[in-house]
Structures are given as structure tokens and as C-alpha cells.
Amino acid sequence: MPPSPRGDERASRTPLLEIVVPARNEERRLPGGLLQLCAKLAQMPFPTAVIVVDNNSTDTTADIIRNWPQGEVPVRLVQCATPGKGAAVRAGLLVTKAPLVGFCDADMATDLDAITVAVGLLLGGERVVIGSRAHAFSEVENRHSRVRELGAVGFRALARRLVRGVSDTQCGFKFFDGRLAREVAARLRTPGFAFDVELLARCAAAGAPAMEIPIQWRDMPGSRFSPARHSAGIVLELGRILLRLHAESRGVIRPAWEHAPDPVGSP
Ligand SMILES: Nc1nc2c(ncn2[C@@H]2O[C@H](COP(=O)(O)OP(=O)(O)O)[C@@H](O)[C@H]2O)c(=O)[nH]1
Ligand SMILES: [Mg+2]
């Protein structure tokens, strides 16, 4: 997207919406995904910006962002030393400043038209708006393996205990009131794939339950999630979230962010 005078002027204004994209070893999927995202954001009637958070990728992911041509939608790179999607999204949310923020995956599996819907709802007073593959009006093209599907059923059963009323905690498409997202991100302690559950549980505890919206979602090849490598970790993470939130609510432990060094790492 070549810079234009109008684009330069728009890019220099404070963004109303910032979107975080976690990316690890995404040299193949990220360029196409970012082009789509920037094209969508350039259509919005206000300034926007993108923050890509890399975790020491061993491919050219970081260089792609360093060399990204800056147009109407500025794209910047944040490095997060702590591995994991949760740590990366947290680091990205913590450097945002905009009144509206969100995150989406590098593969842009969720059709980006849903951004317009999410922003409209946030401007109308909702504080947490999330894409849901389980919504009755969603169109989902799923190519996940049987093993992953089976794991997902178990995961959802556990996640429901932590986040009431949300049918799909894991869709990588979530938008927030910016201040709430920054406050909640500061408290997050889950570095891996289960972080969405902690994020939504903490938003609900802060009086902001999530509103699920229908999306068009297509499973993209090249997933970073491996059932064999990540399943045990994700169940452990859920267990830790359950214990921590329970203990915090009963006052058994002080909330993690009040006393502990930051285990997830700051950007
Ligand atoms: N920065 C960072 N991003 C990650 C990490 N793990 C996954 N991601 C990103 O999280 C997003 C979702 O991952 P994806 O592989 O598409 O998972 P799936 O959609 O659940 O199969 C992608 O943008 C990944 O690059 C990580 O350890 N660090
Ligand atoms: Mg994906």
C-alpha cells in the first residue's frame, strides 16, 4: 500500500482503534494477512494502527514488519521475550493507547468484515465483543483433525466452568474497550493458548461480560497449534486459571499483579 499525502496525514493522527496480531514464525501467512487487515482498516472512517508481536521467531517474521511499507495504517513491531500466544497478545495490548483495541490471528481466519460490526457495538457501549464460531449465524469452514476436535470438546467443557455464557472462548478475534483491555491484560498470567479463558473471565469479573457475534471463519493451513505438543499444557493452564481465580476471589492469595514480579513478561 503506497503512502499518499492523505495517508500520511491520517497515519500521523492518534488511532481510535489498534489491533494486535501475535505472530511466531509467520513469514508465510503474515504478509497476506497484514495486507488484508490494512486494506480493511484503511476503509474505516477514523485512524487505526496495527501492532505485530513477535516471540523470537526463527524465520523472517520480524524483518517483514521492520520493512513493512508504512501507509495509511501504521504497522509496528513489538518483541515479547516470553514465549506463547497469550504472552504476546498481553504484551501487545499493554502498549496500546487507543480507546478501542482488539486482536486477531496472522492467518486472518475470521473474515475481517466482522471488525465493522465489533467496532459499531463497542461505540454503542459494549465493552467486550468476540467472534464466535458457535454462533447460530456463523459460517464455519472447519478442517481441524478429529483429534483436535475431540480435544476442543473437552476444553470447552472446562472453559465453561470459568467463563459462563460464552460458547467459543478460543476464536482469535476479540475486541475491547481499550482501557478495560489494558487493565485486564496487566493481570493476565497465562502465557499459552488458554489465555483467552483468563482474559474473558477477568473481563466478566470486572463487570464486562463478552458479547458473541457471528463470523465467517475458515480454518487456515499452517496452524501453530499442535494437539500433541500443546494439549497437556493447555489443560494445565486451565487448571491454574481455575485455582488462581478461585483463590483470588476468596482472598486466599492476593491478586498476582499486586505483589509478584511479572511472570509473563512486559514488552
Ligand atoms: N507471538 C506469538 N504468536 C503466536 C505464538 N503461538 C501462536 N501464535 C500466533 O497465534 C495466532 C493463532 O495461531 P494459529 O497457529 O493460527 O492457531 P489456530 O488458529 O488455533 O490453529 C497466529 O497469529 C500465530 O502466529 C507464540 O508463541 N508467539
Ligand atoms: Mg489459525
Side-chain angles (χ1 to χ4, degrees), residues 29 105 107-109 144 148 217-224:
R29 303 194 299 178
D105 293 345
D107 58 11
M108 304 299 150
H144 286 162
R148 183 163 174 177
W217 189 87
R218 256 183 345 129
D219 181 36
M220 298 299 200
S223 170
R224 306 280 135 230

Side-chain angles (χ1 to χ4, degrees), residues 78-135:
V78 165
Q79 287 286 2
C80 174
T82 313
K85 181 181 177 183
V89 170
R90 175 184 190 267
L93 291 176
L94 285 178
V95 299
T96 60
K97 292 197 170 65
L100 307 180
V101 303
F103 63 86
C104 63
D105 293 345
D107 58 11
M108 304 299 150
T110 302
D111 187 280
L112 295 175
D113 282 346
I115 294 179
T116 314
V117 178
V119 165
L121 288 165
L122 290 173
L123 292 174
E126 290 293 336
R127 297 172 73 204
V128 181
V129 179
I130 64 174
S132 170
R133 290 161 293 188
H135 194 288

Side-chain angles (χ1 to χ4, degrees), residues 8 30 39 65-66 71 104 137 153 156 173 220 228 263:
D8 285 349
L30 188 61
I65 304 309
R66 283 192 198 101
C104 63
F137 296 133
V153 172
R156 281 196 289 272
F173 187 88
M220 298 299 200

